[in-house]
Amino acid sequence: MVPNQMVRMNQGQGETSYTRNSSIQNAQQNRMKPLIEAAIVDFCSSSINTGSLFPRKMLIADLGCSSGPNALALVSIALEAIHNHCLQLQQTPPEVCLLLNDLPENDFNTVVKNLVTLRQSNKPLVMIGVTPGSFYERLFTSGSLHLVCSSSSLQWLSKAPEHLTRNQIPAYDIDEHARRERLPIVLEAYAQQFREDFTLFLQLRAKELVSGGRMVLSLIGRPSYIIDSEFFHLWEIVAQILSVMASEGVIDKANFDSFYVPLYGPSCKELREIIQEEGSFSIREMREQDPTTDYDNAFMTPSRFLNHLRAIFEPIIVQHFGEVMDEFARTAERRWSVEGSMQDERARNPRVMLVVSLAKA
């Protein structure tokens, strides 16, 4: 199942690259550290308690690893946790295989270059591999994985909701009245697509994980205090900028109406319900975290925030509209030129990071 839009971050080392604009994602990965460490200890302890030997090998996968400085963060945390746990128990470290996954368009060349440093560490590392492909399809052999990690990736859907694309219902209408009228339809379509995709993700990983295998996942969601009728797009700020460009004739309105970003932020309640209904995993821990505590003052400036948006959304915008990013930047700067307007806009679009630790039932 391949997404019908180019879902990848901006490549390279430039000012608007993901490499130079991913500090917030890195902070979220660091917040996952205690859950990954606990998952490692719990899995190893469970093996011993059920009469098995201490694991002799472990396969660990990061799904949606992207590129840049964050690509190895989660697997490095897991590797360190295994090393420390073995030292504490005076056990021989298991052989470890690290597997990195993202879509084929990902900048795997940069990732592979960074792997050299990791292989030179003194940790119990044997093999590293990359696995291009969508995590909404089978990626690994049955019963082979011991730990799956994923950060800031599962909010991306396999595709835009078919009900909207098939019936040509804009995801974000320029006219505010029409947008509010269509809101329930748009919400239900995106929520249903996320439910289908995340259910499939759980089913696939349940086949690939060993008995008692663990998953630690984080994704962007919406705060629990926001009710369904107040639904917002994770990409609403981008949509607002593009809607101004459409109203001014910079981009074609019909083209704007057919722009669907395959991105959805669930609530904590939604996530819990899907996991419980699918039934392959038990929830060990679930957290709702405020990502704004990871922002520094520099991130609050319009230029820095604009680079952050471009690092994430530029490939999918350019694929749909062509080379419009210079005008996109000018429109955003003009929109935010009023003092406090950018902060106000971001305050109207609150986000949370949902973090969940799962054990295969």
Side-chain angles (χ1 to χ4, degrees):
M1 188 180 302
V2 180
N4 55 7
Q5 289 143 311
M6 185 185 296
V7 180
R8 64 164 174 81
M9 305 297 101
N10 252 355
Q11 299 180 357
Q13 303 288 326
E15 186 178 353
T16 61
S17 67
Y18 181 78
T19 296
R20 295 179 60 177
N21 295 278
S22 54
S23 59
I24 300 301
Q25 290 88 338
N26 180 254
Q28 179 55 37
Q29 289 173 322
N30 290 334
R31 286 190 177 202
M32 294 171 68
K33 182 177 180 179
L35 278 76
I36 293 174
E37 292 172 338
I40 293 290
V41 172
D42 187 46
F43 175 79
C44 293
S45 300
S46 298
S47 298
I48 296 173
N49 291 338
T50 55
S52 302
L53 297 175
F54 192 87
R56 298 180 60 184
K57 64 178 182 178
M58 294 188 72
L59 274 69
I60 298 169
D62 178 359
L63 307 187
C65 66
S66 193
S67 59
N70 297 342
L72 305 181
L74 296 182
V75 292
S76 296
I77 291 171
L79 198 61
E80 182 74 21
I82 294 170
H83 178 72
N84 292 338
H85 187 57
C86 290
L87 282 179
Q88 184 178 2
L89 296 182
Q90 297 182 333
Q91 288 278 355
T92 301
E95 296 180 346
V96 178
C97 178
L98 303 179
L99 303 168
L100 303 175
N101 156 262
D102 214 309
L103 293 172
E105 293 81 10
N106 186 53
D107 185 8
F108 281 111
N109 287 333
T110 302
V111 174
V112 171
K113 290 177 182 178
N114 292 335
L115 289 174
V116 176
T117 302
L118 189 59
R119 293 211 66 171
Q120 291 172 344
S121 69
N122 295 321
K123 305 302 184 297
L125 180 59
V126 173
M127 183 65 68
I128 302 176
V130 295
T131 308
S134 169
F135 48 53
Y136 295 122
E137 60 188 13
R138 280 293 299 273
L139 295 168
F140 310 104
T141 56
S142 299
S144 61
L145 299 178
H146 298 83
L147 173 67
V148 170
C149 299
S150 181
S151 178
S152 303
S153 296
L154 282 161
Q155 66 273 1
W156 291 101
L157 305 173
S158 66
K159 58 186 176 181
E162 285 189 1
H163 178 69
L164 301 184
T165 57
R166 184 174 58 249
N167 296 292
Q168 298 182 331
I169 301 171
Y172 190 92
D173 202 291
I174 291 177
D175 181 77
E176 183 177 355
H177 178 71
R179 187 166 66 246
R180 289 184 177 277
E181 279 195 338
R182 292 190 176 115
L183 185 60
I185 298 173
V186 174
L187 167 61
E188 177 57 31
Y190 269 91
Q192 181 59 34
Q193 186 64 54
F194 177 80
R195 178 175 291 275
E196 292 175 6
D197 283 346
F198 194 64
T199 297
L200 176 61
F201 176 86
L202 294 172
Q203 292 170 344
L204 295 171
R205 303 295 83 81
K207 293 178 181 178
E208 296 167 347
L209 281 159
V210 300
S211 178
R214 300 295 300 266
M215 286 206 296
V216 181
L217 314 171
S218 76
L219 66 158
I220 302 172
R222 68 177 185 270
S224 55
Y225 61 82
I226 294 183
I227 59 177
D228 288 350
S229 61
E230 296 174 346
F231 168 77
F232 59 91
H233 291 292
L234 289 178
W235 49 278
E236 184 161 354
I237 293 177
V238 171
Q240 289 167 347
I241 297 169
L242 290 171
S243 70
V244 173
M245 294 169 63
S247 65
E248 294 176 348
V250 177
I251 57 177
D252 182 69
K253 183 181 181 301
N255 206 19
F256 174 73
D257 287 342
S258 65
F259 183 57
Y260 305 93
V261 178
L263 189 65
Y264 179 75
S267 67
C268 196
K269 179 183 176 183
E270 279 180 283
L271 201 64
R272 184 180 296 275
E273 287 177 349
I274 296 170
I275 294 168
Q276 292 175 339
E277 288 174 8
E278 194 280 327
S280 296
F281 295 89
S282 60
I283 300 173
R284 294 301 177 90
E285 188 170 355
M286 183 176 285
R287 300 178 181 179
E288 182 178 300
Q289 300 174 340
D290 180 4
T292 61
T293 58
D294 299 320
Y295 297 170
D296 56 30
N297 291 332
F299 184 78
M300 300 300 291
T301 64
S303 60
R304 177 84 177 276
F305 184 58
L306 178 59
N307 287 343
H308 176 75
L309 290 180
R310 290 186 64 170
I312 297 172
F313 292 102
E314 183 163 340
I316 199 170
I317 292 173
V318 170
Q319 183 192 36
H320 189 81
F321 296 103
E323 298 296 334
V324 298
M325 293 312 297
D326 288 344
E327 187 58 39
F328 179 90
R330 284 191 288 269
T331 304
E333 289 166 355
R334 214 170 56 236
R335 183 178 176 86
W336 298 337
S337 61
V338 179
E339 184 177 353
S341 63
M342 187 196 76
Q343 287 82 356
D344 292 341
E345 199 163 82
R346 290 181 60 242
R348 289 193 298 271
N349 295 273
R351 311 282 186 267
V352 295
M353 292 301 301
L354 305 179
V355 187
V356 60
S357 177
L358 305 172
K360 181 178 173 181

